[in-house]
Amino acid sequence: MGETAVPAAPEASPAAGEGISAAHVRRTFGNVVAVDDMGLTAPAGQVTALVGPNGSGKTTLLLVLATLLVPDAGEIRVAGHDPVREPREVRSRIGWMPDAFGTYDTLTPREVLQFVAAAYRLPRDRHAARARELLALVHLEDLADRPVHVLSRGQKQRLGLARALVHDPGVLLLDEPAAGLDPRSRIELRGILRDLAADGRALLVSSHVLAELEEIADRAVFVDGGRTVDEHDLTELRPTQRRPWRLRSLDQESLLSRLDGLGVTVTGQPGPAGVDVMLAGDEEAADLVAALVRDGVRVVECAPAAGTLEAAYLEMTEGRR
């Protein structure tokens, strides 16, 4: 995956329009309630992060949005269409990337993409070119003609993203897209997803890698126990509890001594990365840095030890420990 702009398919599918909206969605499996009362919005032109612990209903909701499960109740629109009453219209407008890649292992990546292009009825004379474009986008040219079963987990994830983009969908549903990717591929994935949103698509991304989500997401939807707990624009997300901040100075012994003098408790063991303290937010951090500098401590770094999204998630799941 690289910095090349995402190539559009010929006769591209309709734009995302209204993106995704869902309200009061419920889905059970016998006596098990997987999704109880879930709702969210994922606007066009933005990346929406779907955040929640294992078993919270994230994948079930994505399967409902992708027309692969029928909900027991709820009002849903994907690109302006109802997945239950208008599944064909929805499928033509979405790109679905599940958390596990599924295809015939004896096919090659090139054959997989050409098969999907045929399934979406792209012009026959464009199948090979479209596969070539997407293989270049996700950096699989060297493996284009090897059987899929020789690909690593991360390489299959990259192929899964290419497969979801074949028909240039207006809405993307991505379940753990960064799973198995190496650090470079993760960085490149972020760039591709941001480019897709900038082109006006709606992206709904579920992942446990919260630091990655914070790098790409515009909004976050928090779910737990099959219910939506909260929705926020990331610019407005502010954890309410104290959380760890990391301080680093040119002289750690002086830093530790002055923190003790100021009555600030250090959490964990100080190390090369710095010293962690519990602070309530930006104002308390700014006041602490000002006090340290006045006392001659040469502070070179002061930042949250965990991202805003991670801190908010930990607050939400505090009672589950």
Side-chain angles (χ1 to χ4, degrees):
M1 289 179 282
E3 297 179 357
T4 307
V6 178
E11 299 183 8
S13 61
E18 302 171 10
I20 302 169
S21 64
H24 308 300
V25 179
R26 179 179 174 84
R27 184 56 158 90
T28 60
F29 297 92
N31 295 326
V32 177
V33 180
V35 172
D36 192 6
D37 183 13
M38 200 174 284
L40 59 79
T41 56
Q46 295 189 20
V47 178
T48 300
L50 185 60
V51 181
N54 290 334
S56 60
K58 302 189 301 298
T59 295
T60 299
L61 177 65
L62 287 171
L63 290 168
V64 167
L65 296 174
T67 75
L68 300 175
L69 283 177
V70 176
D72 300 326
E75 300 175 4
I76 307 169
R77 291 293 181 274
V78 179
H81 295 274
D82 185 331
V84 176
R85 293 198 296 266
E86 304 169 290
R88 287 182 177 272
E89 286 78 2
V90 170
R91 289 170 189 165
S92 71
R93 291 162 172 80
I94 64 169
W96 163 238
M97 182 180 173
D99 63 345
F101 187 80
T103 189
Y104 295 110
D105 280 350
T106 55
L107 293 180
T108 68
R110 191 187 309 278
E111 290 169 340
V112 168
L113 297 180
Q114 290 181 353
F115 172 79
V116 175
Y120 279 105
R121 299 183 180 177
L122 271 64
R124 183 180 295 273
D125 61 359
R126 282 288 296 159
H127 293 181
R130 185 59 176 163
R132 191 164 54 249
E133 292 166 356
L134 292 170
L135 288 167
L137 178 72
V138 299
H139 283 202
L140 286 177
E141 304 105 306
D142 293 345
L143 294 167
D145 298 307
R146 302 284 299 279
V148 168
H149 69 77
V150 308
L151 270 58
S152 68
R153 163 75 161 151
Q155 289 163 344
K156 288 180 179 179
Q157 286 297 97
R158 286 189 267 160
L159 180 56
L161 177 61
R163 183 177 63 176
L165 293 171
V166 164
H167 57 303
D168 199 26
V171 174
L172 281 163
L173 305 171
L174 310 178
D175 195 2
E176 299 290 344
L181 295 184
D182 59 69
R184 175 178 289 278
S185 294
R186 286 176 183 268
I187 293 169
E188 292 167 346
L189 174 67
R190 292 202 301 259
I192 290 175
L193 298 188
R194 288 308 316 169
D195 286 345
L196 289 166
D199 284 343
R201 296 171 176 83
L203 282 75
L204 181 60
V205 183
S206 171
S207 176
H208 289 105
V209 188
L210 300 186
E212 294 290 335
L213 284 180
E214 190 158 351
E215 292 285 341
I216 62 171
D218 302 288
R219 309 178 64 259
V221 177
F222 295 91
V223 297
D224 193 15
R227 294 173 174 266
T228 299
V229 177
D230 217 343
E231 290 191 57
H232 281 287
D233 288 342
L234 288 194
T235 55
E236 301 171 353
L237 189 59
R238 294 289 183 272
T240 59
Q241 298 178 3
R242 300 171 72 82
R243 58 174 170 152
W245 283 63
R246 184 155 297 153
L247 292 163
R248 190 164 58 87
S249 76
L250 296 180
D251 184 345
Q252 191 173 93
E253 290 303 318
S254 295
L255 173 61
L256 290 168
S257 175
R258 195 64 205 113
L259 288 173
D260 184 58
L262 292 169
V264 177
T265 302
V266 173
T267 63
Q269 292 296 320
V275 175
D276 287 356
V277 298
M278 298 296 289
L279 300 174
D282 293 349
E283 284 196 23
E284 189 171 345
D287 290 343
L288 176 58
V289 170
L292 291 169
V293 171
R294 275 197 309 269
D295 293 340
V297 179
R298 301 172 70 186
V299 177
V300 296
E301 181 182 351
C302 179
T308 302
L309 189 57
E310 185 175 333
Y313 172 79
L314 290 175
E315 282 187 23
M316 182 189 77
T317 57
E318 180 68 23
R320 295 173 62 96
R321 291 194 301 178

